[in-house]
Coordinates of all heavy atoms in Angstrom, one line a residue:
M78 N -4.5 12.6 -10.3 CA -5.2 11.3 -10.3 C -5.6 10.9 -8.8 O -4.8 11.2 -7.9 CB -4.3 10.2 -10.8 CG -4.9 8.8 -10.8 SD -3.9 7.4 -11.3 CE -2.8 8.0 -12.5
I79 N -6.7 10.3 -8.7 CA -7.2 9.8 -7.4 C -7.2 8.3 -7.4 O -7.7 7.7 -8.4 CB -8.6 10.3 -7.1 CG1 -8.6 11.9 -7.0 CG2 -9.1 9.7 -5.8 CD1 -7.8 12.5 -5.9
M80 N -6.6 7.7 -6.4 CA -6.5 6.2 -6.3 C -7.3 5.8 -5.0 O -7.1 6.3 -4.0 CB -5.1 5.8 -6.2 CG -4.9 4.3 -6.2 SD -3.2 3.8 -6.3 CE -2.7 4.4 -7.9
T81 N -8.2 4.9 -5.2 CA -8.9 4.3 -4.1 C -8.3 2.9 -3.9 O -8.2 2.1 -4.8 CB -10.4 4.2 -4.4 OG1 -10.9 5.5 -4.6 CG2 -11.1 3.6 -3.2
V82 N -7.9 2.6 -2.6 CA -7.5 1.3 -2.3 C -8.5 0.7 -1.3 O -8.7 1.2 -0.2 CB -6.1 1.3 -1.6 CG1 -5.6 0.0 -1.2 CG2 -5.1 2.1 -2.5
F83 N -9.1 -0.4 -1.8 CA -10.2 -1.1 -1.1 C -9.7 -2.4 -0.6 O -9.6 -3.3 -1.5 CB -11.5 -1.1 -1.9 CG -12.6 -1.8 -1.2 CD1 -13.2 -1.2 -0.1 CD2 -13.2 -3.0 -1.7 CE1 -14.3 -1.8 0.5 CE2 -14.2 -3.6 -1.1 CZ -14.8 -3.0 0.0
R84 N -9.5 -2.6 0.7 CA -9.0 -3.9 1.2 C -10.2 -4.5 1.9 O -10.9 -3.9 2.7 CB -7.9 -3.7 2.2 CG -6.7 -3.1 1.5 CD -5.6 -2.7 2.5 NE -5.0 -3.9 3.1 CZ -3.9 -3.9 3.8 NH1 -3.3 -2.8 4.1 NH2 -3.5 -5.1 4.3
S85 N -10.4 -5.8 1.7 CA -11.6 -6.5 2.3 C -11.3 -8.0 2.5 O -10.5 -8.6 1.9 CB -12.8 -6.3 1.4 OG -12.7 -7.0 0.2
R86 N -12.2 -8.5 3.4 CA -12.3 -10.0 3.6 C -13.8 -10.3 3.4 O -14.6 -9.6 4.1 CB -11.8 -10.4 4.9 CG -10.3 -10.2 5.0 CD -9.8 -10.8 6.4 NE -8.4 -10.4 6.5 CZ -7.4 -11.1 6.0 NH1 -7.6 -12.2 5.2 NH2 -6.1 -10.7 6.2
L87 N -14.1 -11.3 2.7 CA -15.4 -11.7 2.5 C -15.9 -12.7 3.6 O -15.0 -13.4 4.1 CB -15.6 -12.4 1.1 CG -15.4 -11.6 -0.1 CD1 -15.4 -12.5 -1.3 CD2 -16.3 -10.4 -0.2
K88 N -17.1 -12.7 3.9 CA -17.7 -13.7 4.8 C -17.6 -15.0 4.1 O -17.7 -15.1 2.9 CB -19.2 -13.3 5.1 CG -19.4 -12.1 5.9 CD -20.8 -11.8 6.1 CE -21.1 -10.5 6.9 NZ -22.5 -10.2 7.0
E89 N -17.5 -16.1 4.9 CA -17.4 -17.4 4.3 C -18.5 -17.8 3.4 O -18.3 -18.4 2.4 CB -17.2 -18.5 5.4 CG -15.9 -18.4 6.1 CD -14.7 -18.8 5.2 OE1 -14.9 -19.7 4.3 OE2 -13.7 -18.1 5.3
D90 N -19.7 -17.4 3.8 CA -20.9 -17.8 3.0 C -21.3 -16.8 1.9 O -22.4 -16.9 1.3 CB -22.1 -18.0 3.9 CG -22.5 -16.8 4.8 OD1 -21.7 -15.8 4.8 OD2 -23.5 -16.8 5.4
A91 N -20.5 -15.8 1.7 CA -20.9 -14.7 0.8 C -20.3 -14.8 -0.6 O -20.6 -14.0 -1.5 CB -20.5 -13.3 1.4
H92 N -19.4 -15.7 -0.9 CA -18.6 -15.7 -2.1 C -19.5 -15.7 -3.4 O -19.3 -15.0 -4.3 CB -17.6 -16.9 -2.1 CG -16.5 -16.6 -1.2 ND1 -16.6 -16.8 0.2 CD2 -15.2 -16.2 -1.4 CE1 -15.4 -16.5 0.7 NE2 -14.6 -16.1 -0.2
A93 N -20.5 -16.6 -3.4 CA -21.3 -16.8 -4.6 C -22.0 -15.5 -5.0 O -22.0 -15.0 -6.1 CB -22.3 -17.9 -4.5
D94 N -22.7 -14.9 -4.0 CA -23.5 -13.7 -4.2 C -22.5 -12.5 -4.6 O -22.8 -11.7 -5.5 CB -24.3 -13.3 -3.0 CG -25.5 -14.3 -2.8 OD1 -25.9 -14.9 -3.8 OD2 -26.0 -14.4 -1.7
Y95 N -21.4 -12.4 -3.9 CA -20.5 -11.4 -4.2 C -19.9 -11.5 -5.6 O -19.9 -10.5 -6.3 CB -19.3 -11.4 -3.2 CG -18.2 -10.5 -3.5 CD1 -18.2 -9.1 -3.1 CD2 -17.1 -10.8 -4.3 CE1 -17.3 -8.2 -3.4 CE2 -16.1 -9.9 -4.6 CZ -16.2 -8.6 -4.2 OH -15.2 -7.7 -4.5
F96 N -19.6 -12.7 -6.0 CA -19.0 -12.8 -7.4 C -20.1 -12.7 -8.5 O -19.7 -12.6 -9.6 CB -18.2 -14.1 -7.4 CG -16.9 -14.1 -6.7 CD1 -16.7 -14.8 -5.5 CD2 -15.9 -13.2 -7.1 CE1 -15.6 -14.7 -4.8 CE2 -14.7 -13.1 -6.4 CZ -14.6 -13.9 -5.3
D97 N -21.3 -12.6 -8.1 CA -22.4 -12.3 -9.1 C -22.4 -10.8 -9.3 O -22.6 -10.3 -10.4 CB -23.8 -12.8 -8.6 CG -23.9 -14.3 -8.8 OD1 -23.2 -14.9 -9.5 OD2 -24.9 -14.8 -8.1
L98 N -22.3 -10.0 -8.2 CA -22.4 -8.6 -8.2 C -21.1 -7.8 -8.6 O -21.2 -6.8 -9.3 CB -22.9 -8.1 -6.8 CG -23.2 -6.6 -6.7 CD1 -24.3 -6.1 -7.7 CD2 -23.7 -6.2 -5.3
A99 N -20.0 -8.3 -8.2 CA -18.7 -7.6 -8.4 C -18.4 -7.3 -9.9 O -18.1 -6.2 -10.2 CB -17.6 -8.4 -7.8
P100 N -18.6 -8.2 -10.8 CA -18.4 -7.9 -12.2 C -19.3 -6.8 -12.7 O -18.9 -6.0 -13.6 CB -18.6 -9.2 -13.0 CG -18.5 -10.3 -11.9 CD -18.9 -9.7 -10.6
Q101 N -20.5 -6.7 -12.2 CA -21.4 -5.7 -12.6 C -20.9 -4.3 -12.2 O -21.0 -3.3 -12.9 CB -22.8 -5.9 -12.0 CG -23.5 -7.2 -12.5 CD -24.8 -7.5 -11.8 OE1 -25.5 -6.6 -11.4 NE2 -25.0 -8.8 -11.5
M102 N -20.4 -4.3 -10.9 CA -19.9 -3.0 -10.4 C -18.6 -2.6 -11.2 O -18.4 -1.4 -11.5 CB -19.6 -3.1 -8.9 CG -20.8 -3.1 -8.1 SD -21.9 -1.6 -8.3 CE -23.2 -2.3 -9.3
G103 N -17.8 -3.6 -11.6 CA -16.6 -3.3 -12.3 C -17.0 -2.7 -13.7 O -16.4 -1.7 -14.2
A104 N -17.9 -3.3 -14.4 CA -18.4 -2.8 -15.7 C -19.0 -1.4 -15.5 O -18.8 -0.6 -16.4 CB -19.4 -3.8 -16.3
L105 N -19.8 -1.2 -14.5 CA -20.4 0.1 -14.3 C -19.3 1.2 -14.0 O -19.4 2.3 -14.6 CB -21.3 0.1 -13.1 CG -22.0 1.4 -12.7 CD1 -22.9 1.9 -13.8 CD2 -22.8 1.2 -11.4
A106 N -18.3 0.9 -13.2 CA -17.2 1.8 -13.0 C -16.5 2.2 -14.3 O -16.2 3.4 -14.4 CB -16.2 1.2 -12.0
Q107 N -16.4 1.3 -15.2 CA -15.7 1.6 -16.5 C -16.5 2.6 -17.3 O -15.9 3.3 -18.2 CB -15.5 0.4 -17.3 CG -14.4 -0.5 -16.6 CD -14.2 -1.8 -17.4 OE1 -14.2 -1.8 -18.6 NE2 -14.2 -2.9 -16.6
T108 N -17.8 2.8 -17.0 CA -18.6 3.7 -17.8 C -18.6 5.1 -17.2 O -19.1 6.1 -17.8 CB -20.1 3.3 -17.9 OG1 -20.7 3.4 -16.6 CG2 -20.2 1.8 -18.4
M109 N -18.0 5.3 -16.0 CA -18.1 6.6 -15.3 C -17.1 7.6 -15.9 O -15.9 7.2 -16.2 CB -17.8 6.4 -13.8 CG -18.7 5.4 -13.1 SD -20.4 5.9 -13.1 CE -20.4 7.3 -12.1
P110 N -17.5 8.8 -16.0 CA -16.5 9.8 -16.5 C -15.3 9.9 -15.6 O -15.5 9.8 -14.4 CB -17.3 11.1 -16.4 CG -18.8 10.7 -16.5 CD -18.8 9.4 -15.8
G111 N -14.1 10.0 -16.1 CA -12.9 10.1 -15.4 C -12.3 8.8 -14.9 O -11.2 8.7 -14.4
Y112 N -13.0 7.7 -15.2 CA -12.5 6.3 -14.9 C -11.2 6.1 -15.7 O -11.1 6.3 -16.9 CB -13.5 5.3 -15.2 CG -13.0 3.9 -15.1 CD1 -13.0 3.1 -13.9 CD2 -12.4 3.2 -16.3 CE1 -12.5 1.8 -13.9 CE2 -11.9 1.9 -16.2 CZ -11.9 1.3 -15.0 OH -11.4 0.0 -15.0
I113 N -10.2 5.6 -15.0 CA -8.9 5.2 -15.6 C -8.8 3.7 -15.7 O -8.6 3.1 -16.7 CB -7.7 5.9 -15.0 CG1 -7.8 7.4 -15.2 CG2 -6.4 5.4 -15.6 CD1 -6.8 8.2 -14.4
S114 N -8.8 3.1 -14.5 CA -8.6 1.6 -14.4 C -9.0 1.1 -13.0 O -9.2 1.8 -12.1 CB -7.1 1.3 -14.7 OG -6.3 1.6 -13.6
H115 N -9.1 -0.2 -13.0 CA -9.2 -0.9 -11.7 C -8.6 -2.3 -11.8 O -8.6 -2.9 -12.9 CB -10.6 -1.0 -11.1 CG -11.5 -1.9 -11.8 ND1 -12.2 -1.7 -13.0 CD2 -11.9 -3.2 -11.4 CE1 -12.9 -2.7 -13.3 NE2 -12.8 -3.7 -12.4
K116 N -8.0 -2.8 -10.7 CA -7.4 -4.1 -10.7 C -7.8 -4.8 -9.3 O -8.0 -4.1 -8.3 CB -5.9 -4.1 -10.7 CG -5.3 -3.5 -12.0 CD -5.2 -4.6 -13.0 CE -4.4 -4.0 -14.2 NZ -4.1 -5.0 -15.1
V117 N -8.0 -6.1 -9.4 CA -8.4 -6.8 -8.2 C -7.3 -7.9 -7.9 O -6.8 -8.6 -8.8 CB -9.7 -7.6 -8.4 CG1 -10.1 -8.3 -7.1 CG2 -10.8 -6.6 -8.8
F118 N -6.8 -7.9 -6.6 CA -5.8 -8.9 -6.2 C -6.4 -9.6 -5.0 O -7.0 -9.1 -4.2 CB -4.5 -8.2 -5.8 CG -4.0 -7.3 -6.9 CD1 -4.4 -5.9 -6.9 CD2 -3.1 -7.8 -7.9 CE1 -3.9 -5.1 -7.9 CE2 -2.7 -6.9 -8.9 CZ -3.0 -5.6 -8.9
T119 N -6.0 -10.9 -4.9 CA -6.4 -11.7 -3.7 C -5.1 -12.3 -3.1 O -4.4 -13.0 -3.9 CB -7.4 -12.8 -4.1 OG1 -8.5 -12.2 -4.7 CG2 -7.8 -13.6 -2.9
A120 N -4.9 -12.1 -1.9 CA -3.7 -12.6 -1.2 C -4.0 -14.0 -0.8 O -5.1 -14.5 -0.7 CB -3.4 -11.7 0.0
E121 N -2.9 -14.7 -0.4 CA -3.0 -16.1 0.0 C -3.9 -16.3 1.2 O -4.5 -17.3 1.4 CB -1.6 -16.7 0.2 CG -0.8 -16.9 -1.0 CD 0.6 -17.5 -0.7 OE1 0.8 -17.9 0.4 OE2 1.4 -17.4 -1.7
D122 N -3.9 -15.2 2.1 CA -4.7 -15.3 3.3 C -6.1 -14.9 3.1 O -6.9 -14.9 4.1 CB -4.0 -14.5 4.4 CG -4.1 -13.0 4.2 OD1 -4.6 -12.6 3.1 OD2 -3.6 -12.2 5.0
G123 N -6.5 -14.7 1.9 CA -7.9 -14.4 1.6 C -8.3 -12.9 1.5 O -9.4 -12.5 1.1
E124 N -7.4 -12.0 1.9 CA -7.6 -10.6 1.8 C -7.7 -10.2 0.3 O -6.9 -10.7 -0.5 CB -6.6 -9.8 2.5 CG -6.9 -8.3 2.4 CD -5.8 -7.4 3.1 OE1 -4.7 -7.8 3.2 OE2 -6.2 -6.3 3.4
R125 N -8.7 -9.4 0.0 CA -8.8 -8.9 -1.4 C -8.5 -7.4 -1.4 O -8.8 -6.7 -0.5 CB -10.3 -9.1 -1.8 CG -10.7 -10.5 -1.9 CD -12.2 -10.7 -2.2 NE -12.6 -9.9 -3.4 CZ -12.3 -10.3 -4.7 NH1 -11.7 -11.4 -4.9 NH2 -12.7 -9.5 -5.7
V126 N -7.8 -7.0 -2.5 CA -7.4 -5.6 -2.6 C -7.9 -5.2 -4.0 O -7.6 -5.8 -5.0 CB -5.9 -5.4 -2.5 CG1 -5.5 -3.9 -2.7 CG2 -5.4 -5.8 -1.1
I127 N -8.6 -4.1 -4.1 CA -9.1 -3.5 -5.3 C -8.5 -2.1 -5.4 O -8.6 -1.3 -4.4 CB -10.6 -3.4 -5.4 CG1 -11.2 -4.8 -5.3 CG2 -11.0 -2.8 -6.8 CD1 -12.7 -4.8 -5.2
I128 N -7.8 -1.8 -6.5 CA -7.2 -0.5 -6.7 C -7.9 0.1 -7.9 O -8.0 -0.4 -8.9 CB -5.7 -0.6 -7.0 CG1 -5.0 -1.2 -5.8 CG2 -5.1 0.8 -7.3 CD1 -3.5 -1.5 -6.1
V129 N -8.5 1.3 -7.6 CA -9.3 2.0 -8.6 C -8.7 3.4 -8.9 O -8.4 4.1 -7.9 CB -10.8 2.2 -8.2 CG1 -11.6 2.8 -9.3 CG2 -11.4 0.8 -7.7
E130 N -8.5 3.7 -10.1 CA -8.0 5.0 -10.5 C -9.0 5.9 -11.2 O -9.6 5.4 -12.2 CB -6.7 4.9 -11.4 CG -5.6 4.1 -10.7 CD -4.5 3.8 -11.7 OE1 -4.7 3.4 -12.8 OE2 -3.3 4.0 -11.3
F131 N -9.1 7.1 -10.8 CA -10.0 8.1 -11.5 C -9.1 9.3 -11.7 O -8.2 9.6 -11.0 CB -11.2 8.5 -10.6 CG -12.3 7.5 -10.7 CD1 -12.5 6.5 -9.8 CD2 -13.3 7.7 -11.7 CE1 -13.6 5.6 -9.9 CE2 -14.3 6.8 -11.9 CZ -14.5 5.8 -11.0
A132 N -9.5 10.1 -12.8 CA -8.7 11.2 -13.2 C -8.7 12.3 -12.1 O -7.6 13.0 -12.0 CB -9.3 11.8 -14.5
D133 N -9.7 12.5 -11.4 CA -9.8 13.6 -10.4 C -10.8 13.2 -9.3 O -11.5 12.3 -9.4 CB -10.1 14.9 -11.1 CG -11.4 14.8 -11.9 OD1 -12.4 14.3 -11.4 OD2 -11.4 15.2 -13.1
E134 N -10.8 14.1 -8.2 CA -11.6 13.8 -7.1 C -13.1 13.9 -7.4 O -13.9 13.1 -6.9 CB -11.3 14.8 -6.0 CG -11.9 14.5 -4.7 CD -11.5 15.3 -3.5 OE1 -10.6 16.2 -3.7 OE2 -11.9 15.1 -2.4
A135 N -13.5 14.8 -8.3 CA -14.9 14.9 -8.7 C -15.4 13.6 -9.3 O -16.5 13.2 -9.1 CB -15.1 16.1 -9.6
S136 N -14.6 13.1 -10.2 CA -14.9 11.8 -10.9 C -15.1 10.7 -9.9 O -16.0 9.9 -9.9 CB -13.9 11.4 -11.9 OG -13.8 12.4 -12.9
Q137 N -14.1 10.6 -8.9 CA -14.2 9.5 -7.9 C -15.4 9.7 -7.0 O -16.1 8.8 -6.7 CB -12.9 9.6 -7.1 CG -12.7 8.4 -6.2 CD -13.5 8.5 -4.8 OE1 -13.9 9.6 -4.4 NE2 -13.7 7.3 -4.2
R138 N -15.7 10.9 -6.7 CA -16.9 11.2 -5.8 C -18.2 10.9 -6.6 O -19.1 10.3 -6.0 CB -16.9 12.7 -5.4 CG -18.1 13.2 -4.7 CD -18.3 12.5 -3.4 NE -17.3 12.7 -2.4 CZ -17.1 12.1 -1.3 NH1 -18.1 11.2 -0.9 NH2 -16.2 12.3 -0.5
H139 N -18.2 11.2 -7.9 CA -19.4 10.8 -8.7 C -19.6 9.3 -8.7 O -20.7 8.9 -8.5 CB -19.2 11.4 -10.1 CG -20.3 11.2 -11.0 ND1 -21.5 11.9 -10.9 CD2 -20.6 10.4 -12.1 CE1 -22.4 11.6 -11.8 NE2 -21.8 10.7 -12.5
W140 N -18.5 8.5 -8.8 CA -18.6 7.1 -8.7 C -19.1 6.7 -7.3 O -20.0 5.8 -7.2 CB -17.3 6.5 -9.0 CG -17.1 5.0 -8.6 CD1 -16.2 4.5 -7.7 CD2 -17.9 3.9 -9.1 NE1 -16.4 3.2 -7.6 CE2 -17.4 2.8 -8.4 CE3 -18.9 3.8 -10.0 CZ2 -17.9 1.5 -8.6 CZ3 -19.5 2.5 -10.2 CH2 -19.0 1.4 -9.5
S141 N -18.5 7.2 -6.3 CA -18.9 6.9 -4.9 C -20.4 7.1 -4.7 O -21.0 6.4 -3.9 CB -18.0 7.7 -4.0 OG -18.4 7.4 -2.6
L142 N -21.0 8.1 -5.3 CA -22.4 8.5 -5.0 C -23.3 7.9 -6.1 O -24.5 8.2 -6.0 CB -22.5 10.0 -5.0 CG -21.7 10.7 -3.8 CD1 -21.8 12.2 -3.9 CD2 -22.1 10.2 -2.5
N143 N -22.8 7.2 -7.1 CA -23.7 6.6 -8.1 C -24.7 5.7 -7.4 O -24.4 4.9 -6.5 CB -22.9 5.8 -9.0 CG -23.7 5.0 -10.0 OD1 -24.2 3.9 -9.7 ND2 -23.9 5.5 -11.2
A144 N -26.0 5.8 -7.7 CA -27.1 5.1 -7.0 C -26.9 3.6 -7.0 O -27.1 2.9 -6.0 CB -28.4 5.5 -7.6
L145 N -26.5 3.0 -8.1 CA -26.3 1.6 -8.1 C -25.1 1.2 -7.3 O -25.1 0.1 -6.6 CB -26.1 1.1 -9.6 CG -27.3 1.2 -10.5 CD1 -26.9 0.9 -11.9 CD2 -28.5 0.4 -10.0
H146 N -24.1 2.0 -7.3 CA -22.9 1.7 -6.4 C -23.3 1.8 -5.0 O -22.8 1.0 -4.1 CB -21.8 2.6 -6.8 CG -20.5 2.3 -6.2 ND1 -19.5 3.3 -5.9 CD2 -19.9 1.2 -5.7 CE1 -18.5 2.7 -5.3 NE2 -18.7 1.4 -5.2
V147 N -24.0 2.9 -4.6 CA -24.5 3.0 -3.2 C -25.2 1.8 -2.8 O -25.0 1.3 -1.6 CB -25.3 4.3 -3.1 CG1 -26.0 4.4 -1.7 CG2 -24.4 5.6 -3.3
E148 N -26.1 1.3 -3.6 CA -26.9 0.1 -3.2 C -26.0 -1.1 -3.1 O -26.2 -1.9 -2.1 CB -28.0 -0.2 -4.3 CG -28.9 -1.3 -3.9 CD -29.6 -1.2 -2.5 OE1 -30.0 0.0 -2.2 OE2 -29.8 -2.2 -1.9
A149 N -25.0 -1.2 -3.9 CA -24.1 -2.4 -3.8 C -23.3 -2.3 -2.6 O -23.0 -3.3 -1.9 CB -23.2 -2.4 -5.1
K150 N -22.9 -1.0 -2.2 CA -22.1 -0.9 -0.9 C -23.0 -1.3 0.3 O -22.5 -1.9 1.2 CB -21.6 0.6 -0.8 CG -20.5 0.9 -1.8 CD -19.9 2.3 -1.6 CE -20.8 3.4 -1.9 NZ -20.1 4.7 -1.9
K151 N -24.3 -1.0 0.2 CA -25.1 -1.4 1.3 C -25.2 -2.9 1.4 O -25.2 -3.5 2.5 CB -26.6 -0.8 1.1 CG -26.6 0.7 1.4 CD -28.1 1.2 1.1 CE -28.1 2.7 1.2 NZ -29.5 3.2 0.8
Q152 N -25.4 -3.5 0.2 CA -25.4 -5.0 0.2 C -24.1 -5.6 0.8 O -24.1 -6.6 1.5 CB -25.6 -5.5 -1.2 CG -27.0 -5.4 -1.7 CD -27.1 -6.1 -3.1 OE1 -26.2 -6.4 -3.7 NE2 -28.4 -6.2 -3.5
G153 N -23.0 -4.9 0.4 CA -21.7 -5.4 0.9 C -21.6 -5.4 2.4 O -21.1 -6.4 3.0
R154 N -22.0 -4.3 3.0 CA -21.9 -4.2 4.4 C -22.8 -5.2 5.1 O -22.5 -5.8 6.1 CB -22.2 -2.8 4.9 CG -21.1 -1.8 4.6 CD -21.4 -0.4 5.3 NE -22.5 0.2 4.7 CZ -22.5 1.0 3.6 NH1 -21.4 1.2 3.0 NH2 -23.6 1.6 3.2
A155 N -24.0 -5.4 4.5 CA -25.0 -6.3 5.1 C -24.7 -7.8 4.9 O -25.0 -8.6 5.8 CB -26.4 -5.9 4.6
N156 N -24.2 -8.1 3.7 CA -24.1 -9.5 3.3 C -22.8 -10.1 2.9 O -22.6 -11.3 3.0 CB -25.1 -9.7 2.1 CG -26.5 -9.3 2.4 OD1 -27.0 -9.6 3.5 ND2 -27.1 -8.6 1.5
F157 N -21.8 -9.2 2.4 CA -20.6 -9.8 1.8 C -19.4 -9.7 2.7 O -18.6 -10.6 2.7 CB -20.3 -9.1 0.5 CG -21.4 -9.2 -0.5 CD1 -21.6 -8.1 -1.4 CD2 -22.3 -10.2 -0.6 CE1 -22.6 -8.1 -2.3 CE2 -23.3 -10.3 -1.5 CZ -23.4 -9.2 -2.4
Y158 N -19.2 -8.6 3.3 CA -17.9 -8.3 4.0 C -17.8 -8.7 5.4 O -18.7 -8.3 6.2 CB -17.5 -6.8 3.8 CG -17.3 -6.4 2.3 CD1 -18.2 -5.5 1.8 CD2 -16.4 -7.0 1.5 CE1 -18.1 -5.2 0.4 CE2 -16.2 -6.7 0.2 CZ -17.1 -5.8 -0.3 OH -17.0 -5.5 -1.7
A159 N -16.8 -9.4 5.8 CA -16.5 -9.6 7.2 C -15.8 -8.3 7.8 O -16.0 -8.0 8.9 CB -15.5 -10.8 7.4
E160 N -15.0 -7.7 6.9 CA -14.3 -6.4 7.2 C -13.8 -5.8 5.9 O -13.6 -6.4 4.9 CB -13.1 -6.6 8.2 CG -12.0 -7.5 7.6 CD -10.9 -7.7 8.5 OE1 -10.4 -6.7 9.1 OE2 -10.5 -8.9 8.7
Y161 N -13.6 -4.4 6.0 CA -13.0 -3.7 4.9 C -12.4 -2.4 5.4 O -12.7 -1.9 6.5 CB -14.0 -3.5 3.7 CG -15.1 -2.5 4.0 CD1 -14.9 -1.1 3.9 CD2 -16.4 -3.0 4.3 CE1 -16.0 -0.3 4.2 CE2 -17.4 -2.1 4.5 CZ -17.2 -0.8 4.4 OH -18.3 0.1 4.7
N162 N -11.5 -1.9 4.5 CA -10.9 -0.6 4.8 C -10.7 0.1 3.4 O -10.3 -0.5 2.5 CB -9.5 -0.9 5.4 CG -8.7 0.4 5.6 OD1 -8.2 1.0 4.7 ND2 -8.6 0.8 6.9
I163 N -11.1 1.4 3.4 CA -11.0 2.1 2.2 C -10.1 3.3 2.4 O -10.3 4.1 3.4 CB -12.4 2.6 1.7 CG1 -13.3 1.5 1.5 CG2 -12.3 3.5 0.4 CD1 -14.8 1.9 1.3
K164 N -9.2 3.5 1.5 CA -8.3 4.7 1.5 C -8.4 5.4 0.1 O -8.3 4.7 -0.9 CB -6.8 4.3 1.7 CG -6.6 3.8 3.1 CD -5.1 3.4 3.3 CE -4.8 3.0 4.7 NZ -5.1 1.7 5.0
V165 N -8.8 6.7 0.1 CA -8.8 7.4 -1.1 C -7.6 8.4 -1.1 O -7.5 9.2 -0.1 CB -10.2 8.2 -1.2 CG1 -10.2 9.1 -2.5 CG2 -11.4 7.3 -1.2
C166 N -6.8 8.3 -2.1 CA -5.5 9.0 -2.1 C -5.3 9.8 -3.3 O -5.7 9.4 -4.4 CB -4.4 7.9 -2.0 SG -4.6 6.6 -0.8
E167 N -4.6 10.9 -3.2 CA -4.2 11.7 -4.3 C -2.8 11.3 -4.7 O -1.9 11.2 -3.9 CB -4.2 13.2 -4.0 CG -3.9 14.1 -5.2 CD -4.1 15.5 -4.9 OE1 -4.3 15.9 -3.7 OE2 -4.0 16.3 -5.8
V168 N -2.6 11.0 -6.0 CA -1.3 10.6 -6.5 C -0.4 11.8 -6.6 O -0.8 12.7 -7.4 CB -1.4 9.8 -7.8 CG1 0.0 9.4 -8.3 CG2 -2.2 8.5 -7.6
L169 N 0.6 11.9 -5.9 CA 1.5 13.0 -5.9 C 2.6 12.9 -7.0 O 3.1 13.9 -7.6 CB 2.2 13.3 -4.6 CG 1.2 13.5 -3.4 CD1 2.0 13.7 -2.1 CD2 0.3 14.7 -3.7
R170 N 3.1 11.7 -7.2 CA 4.1 11.4 -8.2 C 3.8 10.0 -8.8 O 3.3 9.1 -8.2 CB 5.5 11.3 -7.5 CG 6.3 12.5 -7.6 CD 7.7 12.3 -6.8 NE 7.6 11.7 -5.5 CZ 7.2 12.4 -4.4 NH1 6.9 13.7 -4.5 NH2 7.2 11.8 -3.2
E171 N 4.3 9.9 -10.0 CA 4.2 8.6 -10.7 C 5.5 8.4 -11.5 O 5.9 9.4 -12.2 CB 3.0 8.5 -11.5 CG 2.8 7.2 -12.2 CD 1.5 7.1 -13.1 OE1 0.8 8.1 -13.2 OE2 1.3 6.0 -13.6
S172 N 6.1 7.3 -11.5 CA 7.1 7.0 -12.5 C 6.9 5.6 -13.1 O 6.2 4.8 -12.5 CB 8.5 7.0 -11.8 OG 8.6 6.1 -10.8
R173 N 7.4 5.4 -14.3 CA 7.2 4.1 -14.9 C 8.5 3.6 -15.5 O 9.4 4.4 -15.9 CB 6.2 4.2 -16.1 CG 4.8 4.6 -15.6 CD 3.9 4.8 -16.8 NE 2.6 5.3 -16.4 CZ 1.5 4.6 -16.5 NH1 1.5 3.4 -17.1 NH2 0.4 5.1 -16.0
F174 N 8.6 2.3 -15.6 CA 9.7 1.6 -16.3 C 9.1 0.5 -17.2 O 8.3 -0.3 -16.7 CB 10.7 1.1 -15.3 CG 11.8 0.3 -16.0 CD1 12.8 0.9 -16.5 CD2 11.7 -1.1 -16.0 CE1 13.8 0.2 -17.2 CE2 12.7 -1.9 -16.6 CZ 13.8 -1.2 -17.2
K175 N 9.4 0.5 -18.4 CA 8.9 -0.6 -19.3 C 10.1 -1.2 -20.0 O 11.0 -0.6 -20.4 CB 8.0 0.0 -20.4 CG 6.6 0.4 -19.8 CD 5.7 0.8 -20.9 CE 4.3 1.1 -20.3 NZ 3.3 1.2 -21.2

């Protein structure tokens, strides 16, 4: 499994436009082959964290290169984000407790 951890802070004036586009990208991600899940968290200090899981690196790369996603990333850099950090990780181990 491949996990992408996307940490970001939005520009003060970008919230409305960002929250129009973000659900569209989430819905698009769910249609991609190999998609497993994604979750969004917002910290008290305003930092946002999105964790996205794909079955394998090829699926994650396919998502990364999707034309609509590429355009959204361009908009993000130009209009939405004050800063961001992306880590793409291979899951080596997983355990669960229910």
Side-chain angles (χ1 to χ4, degrees):
M78 178 189 326
I79 299 296
M80 183 175 294
T81 302
V82 179
F83 180 65
R84 298 173 66 169
S85 66
R86 291 186 188 277
L87 296 175
K88 294 178 182 178
E89 287 297 321
D90 60 347
H92 287 79
D94 291 336
Y95 174 84
F96 287 112
D97 286 342
L98 184 59
Q101 296 172 40
M102 288 300 103
L105 178 62
Q107 292 178 43
T108 70
M109 301 300 293
Y112 169 88
I113 296 172
S114 72
H115 76 278
K116 296 275 185 174
V117 180
F118 305 92
T119 304
E121 289 180 14
D122 67 358
E124 181 181 23
R125 300 175 48 77
V126 178
I127 303 173
I128 299 173
V129 186
E130 297 174 317
F131 277 94
D133 52 49
E134 190 173 1
S136 298
Q137 190 278 340
R138 174 61 63 191
H139 186 70
W140 163 241
S141 180
L142 298 175
N143 173 279
L145 294 173
H146 187 209
V147 168
E148 184 57 36
K150 290 188 287 187
K151 287 178 186 174
Q152 283 186 349
R154 285 188 296 273
N156 302 318
F157 304 146
Y158 298 115
E160 62 179 310
Y161 68 81
N162 178 287
I163 301 171
K164 293 181 175 80
V165 178
C166 314
E167 184 174 7
V168 176
L169 301 178
R170 260 180 313 282
E171 179 178 7
S172 62
R173 294 175 186 245
F174 174 79
K175 289 189 176 191

